[in-house]
Amino acid sequence: MAGIQFPAAGPCTNPNAPGRPLALIVRQPVFLVACLSAALGYGVMNLLMAATPLAMQVCGHPLGAAATVIQWHVLGMFLPSFFTGHLIKRIGVLPVMALGVLALAAHVVVSMLGTDLAHFVSGLILVGVGWNFLFIGGTTLVTEAYRPAERAKTQAAHDFLVFGLASVASFSAGGLLTQWGWNAVNLTVLPCLALAVGAIAALAWSRRQKPHSLANAST
């Protein structure tokens, strides 16, 4: 913490200053992509994290092994935070979010290859890294969706949607694993990742087209 350099505080914003209606704010593409990506990243992470100890028990792994896997998963979640912000500054928030989706997809590949301890450890480390990139990327991106006077209600709407989906995913993990098995849990993740990739790619494409439109208009 002592090594962090915080920017100078800006002028105080009047919390009663007029702002746009929340319905208008949440319809912006940047808000939709930020919220969708963070929500899917958190939901996928919660689903896999909750299902993994149960799947390990079914596969015959001892309880201590599950604890070890969760420990490595937590390191995968939070250790990248020391450099995620710098990575966003260097390559941009959308590429970092895309890397998060890639890490979660890599977990699916690893998990489908086997159920040894190494598969569970490496898989949940990838889940942690993927969550970190998607969640931090999404919460960074959402700051572009509001003006200072709109910060509180926009962040509240974002957090409500993200943690609401995360709760649904967490409660669904046990039933999905019991009814369909570990492979089905992993395959369920793929449509979510495809949706996140589509949203990120659409926003990246629209931002790339905007400079061209401005240049043509100037010409």
Side-chain angles (χ1 to χ4, degrees), residues 6-217:
F6 293 98
C12 295
T13 302
N14 181 5
N16 297 319
R20 294 170 295 173
L22 183 59
L24 180 62
I25 297 171
V26 300
R27 288 202 298 267
Q28 297 175 103
V30 65
F31 178 88
L32 294 174
V33 174
C35 189
L36 181 68
S37 300
L40 289 175
Y42 221 123
V44 166
M45 186 276 294
N46 260 16
L47 176 69
L48 296 172
M49 181 182 65
T52 293
L54 302 177
M56 292 184 68
Q57 184 179 13
V58 172
C59 295
H61 292 285
L63 186 61
T68 300
V69 169
I70 296 300
Q71 288 171 349
W72 281 104
H73 169 65
V74 172
L75 284 176
M77 288 175 64
F78 297 109
L79 197 59
S81 296
F82 286 104
F83 59 82
T84 303
H86 297 289
L87 193 59
I88 289 174
K89 288 182 179 180
R90 179 175 292 273
I91 68 174
V93 64
L94 295 181
V96 169
M97 292 164 67
L99 288 175
V101 176
L102 184 62
L104 292 174
H107 158 83
V108 176
V109 174
V110 169
S111 296
M112 298 295 286
L113 290 176
T115 56
D116 292 337
L117 181 60
H119 293 101
F120 284 110
V121 170
S122 56
L124 271 207
I125 290 175
L126 288 167
V127 170
V129 174
W131 168 84
N132 185 283
F133 286 177
L134 270 176
F135 184 65
I136 293 181
T139 52
T140 300
L141 186 63
V142 79
T143 61
E144 302 178 21
Y146 56 79
R147 301 165 185 167
E150 303 162 348
R151 180 187 296 117
K153 62 184 178 182
T154 306
Q155 291 282 3
H158 171 270
D159 290 355
F160 176 80
L161 295 171
V162 169
F163 293 109
L165 182 59
S167 299
V168 171
S170 183
F171 280 112
S172 303
L176 186 61
L177 178 68
T178 301
Q179 292 295 322
W180 303 103
W182 176 235
N183 286 344
V185 172
N186 288 284
L187 293 176
T188 301
V189 168
L190 295 180
C192 300
L193 300 184
L195 184 58
V197 166
I200 295 168
L203 183 60
W205 181 83
S206 67
R207 290 185 168 185
R208 183 171 297 180
Q209 293 298 112
K210 189 174 294 185
H212 294 301
S213 300
L214 294 175
N216 292 335

